[in-house]
Amino acid sequence: MATASSSSTSADATTTADADVVSRLRLSYAPQTTRHREREYGTILEFFAARLATTSGGSLYVCGAPGTGKTLHVERARDAAVGESKRAVVVSLRGTAFGSGDAFARAVGAGACPKLSWSGLGAKEALARLAERCGAPKAGEKRKRDDKVVKIVVVDEIDSLVAVAGDALRRVFRIASAPGSRLALVGIANAADVPRRAFFGDDAAYAEDGDRVVTVVFRPYGHAQLVDIVAQRAGEAVFARPALEFCARKVAATTGDARRALDVCRRALAIRDADGAGAPVTLAQAARAVRETLGGAAAGPLSACLLYTSDAADEGLGVDLGGRRSIKKKRGGGGGGGGGGGG
């Protein structure tokens, strides 16, 4: 017969274990390894590594729905390839931070060439100086820059710049895309058509630059991938398998957003604890968590979800981006990333 002391110790251990699971299901938690994004991660890593190896510019566009791991895998590839290397200067910007092309151009210049003064410059002057320092050299021109250092500008939510700083963004892209440039541009956004709208606009003269934009597409997660992502964080015993399958299928059928799957599962754990149950999360508790977290169409009856097969969500097919290079992911998922979320 268990004593009161041993019962208390057991309860404390369970509480500690549950708290640890909840912390691993939070968006702030970053697993050491991620799953189902190996192909995408590999392409991004290759882009960064090539910039250092050749000390050359170029353009990379990473797109996909929210919660598919775009930003996470760009950051991990950047850190893996660049690290503390003195052969590269990395500038990380967020498009929503700028309200004008002038501000954006100055930020790019200040990040790429911090020893120069950029205060008070308009976009035209700032980008002219940026091209002089980092752009392709002109015939017979003596450069005022270090040819052994590449400047890599990473802009998250780059689509927000189209309306407020479209011309400046287009000019930064042209500097980065020119052969011999020492400036690289990496854009991250949800929409697949940002390169056409932001980089080329209506100017057919630059349409051929599309061939120099490496594009990586992050597809929404399928239900099997979401099950694996949650299980990687929470372990196999926290959720009854039907409960975890239910949550994953509902999220895959609506958004394929790993962050939403984590939200649902945290809520399911809270419901289980409120019910006073120490056993794995049940299907009924999972269904309630889905209703409370997702609502709307996702809160249909149990039978609808249990019979649903997310073929479209599970197929990792690339998308056609109007002739620009696209990455296609085979069924079954790739690598470098599945820890979930991140943009």
Side-chain angles (χ1 to χ4, degrees), residues 33-320:
T33 60
T34 52
R35 302 173 180 175
H36 308 298
R37 291 293 187 245
E38 285 86 1
R39 183 185 295 271
E40 295 88 339
Y41 174 80
T43 302
I44 299 170
L45 180 64
E46 180 183 354
F47 177 85
F48 280 114
R51 306 286 71 76
L52 267 70
T54 62
T55 321
S56 64
S59 298
L60 171 70
Y61 183 63
V62 180
C63 62
T68 53
K70 304 183 298 296
T71 301
L72 172 67
H73 292 95
V74 168
E75 292 175 348
R76 290 197 166 187
R78 175 202 63 198
D79 293 344
V82 179
E84 301 297 325
S85 174
K86 295 182 179 179
R87 297 179 60 189
V89 173
V90 179
V91 186
S92 296
L93 304 174
R94 184 170 295 276
T96 52
F98 305 103
S100 68
D102 293 344
F104 172 66
R106 287 194 297 267
V108 173
C113 304
K115 294 182 179 181
L116 300 180
S117 175
W118 300 86
S119 178
L121 294 182
K124 183 177 180 179
E125 295 80 7
L127 293 174
R129 178 177 291 183
L130 182 70
E132 178 185 359
R133 293 285 175 166
C134 306
K138 297 178 181 179
E141 180 183 24
K142 184 178 180 180
R143 306 304 299 176
K144 298 178 180 180
R145 58 171 167 75
D146 184 352
D147 284 344
K148 297 182 180 180
V149 178
V150 62
K151 315 300 176 69
I152 305 174
V153 180
V154 180
V155 186
D156 202 353
E157 298 180 342
I158 197 171
D159 48 338
S160 65
L161 292 173
V162 175
V164 299
D167 185 62
L169 178 59
R170 192 172 300 116
R171 291 168 65 186
V172 170
F173 164 75
R174 291 172 183 170
I175 295 172
S177 298
S181 173
R182 295 296 185 270
L183 180 72
L185 175 64
V186 179
I188 309 171
N190 297 335
D193 65 341
V194 168
R196 186 183 72 249
R197 292 187 290 123
F199 300 158
F200 315 121
D202 297 324
D203 193 343
Y206 292 93
E208 65 274 12
D209 287 340
D211 293 334
R212 292 197 287 270
V213 182
V214 179
T215 301
V216 181
V217 181
F218 280 70
R219 293 287 303 226
Y221 287 107
H223 85 274
Q225 295 171 330
L226 292 174
V227 166
D228 191 43
I229 289 169
V230 174
Q232 178 192 19
R233 292 168 175 251
E236 298 290 340
V238 178
F239 292 84
R241 187 68 181 191
L244 184 52
E245 287 275 355
F246 181 88
C247 295
R249 287 185 182 276
K250 283 296 188 181
V251 174
T254 53
T255 63
D257 185 335
R259 298 174 302 186
R260 299 298 283 159
L262 297 176
D263 291 342
V264 170
C265 290
R266 287 200 313 275
R267 181 58 189 150
L269 282 173
I271 292 172
R272 184 205 65 177
D273 293 344
D275 289 345
V281 173
T282 66
L283 181 57
Q285 291 163 343
R288 179 179 164 191
V290 167
R291 288 195 301 270
E292 295 181 5
T293 306
L294 302 181
L302 290 178
S303 59
C305 181
L306 295 177
L307 295 175
Y308 172 75
T309 301
S310 179
D311 292 333
D314 291 343
E315 283 184 335
L317 302 180
V319 298
D320 181 10

Side-chain angles (χ1 to χ4, degrees), residues 315-334:
E315 283 184 335
L317 302 180
V319 298
D320 181 10
L321 297 177
R324 288 180 283 285
R325 180 180 172 188
S326 132
I327 303 304
K328 295 187 177 182
K329 183 165 68 67
K330 296 181 180 178
R331 179 184 291 273

